[in-house]
Amino acid sequence: MQTRKLGNSDLHITPAGFGAWAAGGGGWEYAWGPQDDKDSIEAIHRALELGANWIDTAAVYGLGHSEEVVARAVKEWRGARPYVFTKCVLAWDSGGKITPNFSAKSIRKECEDSLRRLQVAVIDLYQMHWPPVDNGPGLEEAWQTTASLQKEGKVRWIGVSNFDARQIKRAQKIAPVTSLQPPYSILRRQVEAETLPYCLQQGIGVISYAPMFSGMLTGAMTRDRAAALPPDDFRSRNPEFQEPKLSKNLELVEVLKKIGARHGRNAGEVAIAWVLRNPAITGAIVGARNAKQAEGVFRAGEFPLTAEEIAEIENAASSLAKFKTAP
C-alpha cells in the first residue's frame, strides 16, 4: 500500500489505518458494545497483512483496555512494527466516570500509563483528544505539556483531535501541530468549510475518524440491526441510527453499494475512498470488529473514485442534506 507523509513528521502512513475504539469492549460510557479480544487482535493482524502500517487508539477506549489489546496485537505480530497513535485529556475515576482533564499533572500521568499499557518506550503520535468545552486556557496548558513530553522523548510527534481552525492556531503559538484528527464522512462534513482548508494550507496532516460514520455506511447496517443495538453501544442513542434519519441514510448506502458493485467493492470501501479523495486528508481511521470486517475495508486505501462517481455521491448526499435541514 502506498504511504503519505503525515504533516511535519517523519511518519509515512498508509491511507487506511486501524481504529481500535471498539477494541475497548463494552461496559463503559462510549462503548460499541461487547467485543472479544481475540477477534480484535485478529482484525488488527488482518489489517496489517493487507498493508496498513498504523493503529490509532486512546487511553479512554475501554478505560485503558483498548491500549492493552493493541499491545498484545503488536507483540504477537511477526511483520514490520506498525506505528501506534494514542490520545490524552480524558481521564476516569475508580467508578469509570470520564472527565476531561487538561492539567499538566494529569496528562503526564496519562502518558506514563499509556506507555505502560502499550508496552512501548515512546509513543509515535500523541494527540489531545478534545479541546476544552469552555474553550478556555486548559488548551494551552495541555498543549504545552504535550510539547514538553515530545522534548523529553516520551512521544515522537504531537497532534490534536476534534479541534477547529481557531483552536489549532492557538496551539501553534506554543508548538507545531503535526496532525489533526477530525470526524469526517459523507454524513459529517462540517470540517470542509474552514478546518480542512486551513490544515492543507499549513501542511498539517489530517487523519479522519469515522469515515464510515460508525458503521452506518458499511452496507451491513439495517433497520433491524440498528433497532437491536445493545444499550451500551453509543450508537443506540444517536439520532442518525433512528427514524426518520435512518431510512434516508440507508438510501445513501444503496447508492454507495451501486457504485461499489461496478468495481467488486462494498459500500464501506466507497465511503472510505470518498473521504480519501479530499487533498487535505492524509489517512482515514478504519475500524473492524473481526478479521472478516477488516478484509472488507482495508483495500479501500487504493481505490480511487472517478469524477462521475464522486458527483453521483454528492447528488445523493445533497438530497439527504435537504431532508435533514427541512423544518
Side-chain angles (χ1 to χ4, degrees), residues 100-262:
N101 193 326
F102 301 91
S103 71
K105 181 180 178 182
S106 178
I107 290 172
R108 285 190 168 278
K109 181 181 184 302
E110 284 187 71
C111 183
E112 292 299 332
D113 287 344
S114 288
L115 287 166
R116 172 179 50 79
R117 285 190 293 261
L118 290 168
Q119 299 177 37
V120 294
V122 59
I123 294 163
D124 294 308
L125 178 68
Y126 203 43
Q127 303 157 98
M128 271 184 67
H129 208 151
W130 287 89
V133 174
D134 64 0
N135 217 22
L139 186 154
E140 279 77 12
E141 180 174 358
W143 189 246
Q144 180 62 66
T145 306
T146 308
S148 296
L149 291 170
Q150 183 183 31
K151 288 178 183 174
E152 294 162 21
K154 304 277 188 182
V155 303
R156 293 179 63 197
W157 301 98
I158 54 176
V160 297
S161 180
N162 298 296
F163 277 42
D164 61 26
R166 289 188 181 91
Q167 291 161 337
I168 295 171
K169 289 175 186 176
R170 285 169 60 187
Q172 283 178 304
K173 291 178 182 178
I174 296 169
V177 175
T178 288
S179 63
L180 166 70
Q181 184 179 140
Y184 183 48
S185 71
I186 302 166
L187 293 175
R188 198 170 181 184
R189 304 177 62 167
Q190 295 90 329
V191 292
E192 286 180 337
E194 183 181 4
T195 306
L196 291 187
Y198 180 75
C199 288
L200 187 61
Q201 180 217 354
Q202 294 287 310
I204 295 170
V206 180
I207 50 177
S208 64
Y209 72 82
M212 296 180 289
F213 201 81
S214 303
M216 175 64 74
L217 303 178
T218 60
M221 186 58 63
T222 63
R223 289 174 185 81
D224 289 345
R225 188 174 174 191
L229 289 170
D232 66 345
D233 188 321
F234 78 98
R235 296 174 296 176
S236 66
R237 303 182 292 278
N238 188 329
E240 299 290 345
F241 288 79
Q242 300 164 4
E243 296 297 357
K245 293 183 177 181
L246 176 61
S247 288
K248 289 295 180 180
N249 289 338
L250 292 178
E251 285 178 21
L252 172 62
V253 173
E254 290 304 312
V255 175
L256 303 184
K257 285 182 178 178
K258 180 180 168 187
I259 293 170
R262 299 172 197 155

Side-chain angles (χ1 to χ4, degrees), residues 51-102:
N53 74 348
W54 54 286
I55 302 167
D56 181 84
T57 184
V60 76
Y61 297 161
L63 310 183
H65 189 64
S66 175
E67 289 186 330
E68 293 170 345
V69 171
V70 168
R72 282 179 54 194
V74 172
K75 187 176 182 180
E76 294 170 16
W77 174 243
R78 293 293 170 252
R81 181 193 176 280
Y83 299 129
V84 177
F85 306 160
T86 194
K87 312 178 190 77
C88 63
V89 305
L90 293 183
W92 60 92
D93 61 20
S94 57
K97 180 175 173 53
I98 299 166
T99 308
N101 193 326
F102 301 91

Side-chain angles (χ1 to χ4, degrees), residues 7-40:
N8 66 344
S9 77
D10 61 358
L11 306 178
H12 287 78
I13 66 170
T14 49
F18 189 91
W21 183 353
W28 63 289
E29 193 173 352
Y30 302 104
W32 288 66
Q35 174 65 19
D36 183 87
D37 291 349
K38 183 172 178 288
D39 286 345
S40 295

Side-chain angles (χ1 to χ4, degrees), residues 251-294:
E251 285 178 21
L252 172 62
V253 173
E254 290 304 312
V255 175
L256 303 184
K257 285 182 178 178
K258 180 180 168 187
I259 293 170
R262 299 172 197 155
H263 307 277
R265 303 277 185 162
N266 59 48
E269 289 177 287
V270 176
I272 296 164
W274 181 89
V275 166
L276 291 170
R277 107 267 176 234
N278 190 308
I281 301 294
T282 315
I285 296 169
V286 179
R289 306 285 290 263
N290 52 56
K292 184 178 179 182
Q293 284 187 0

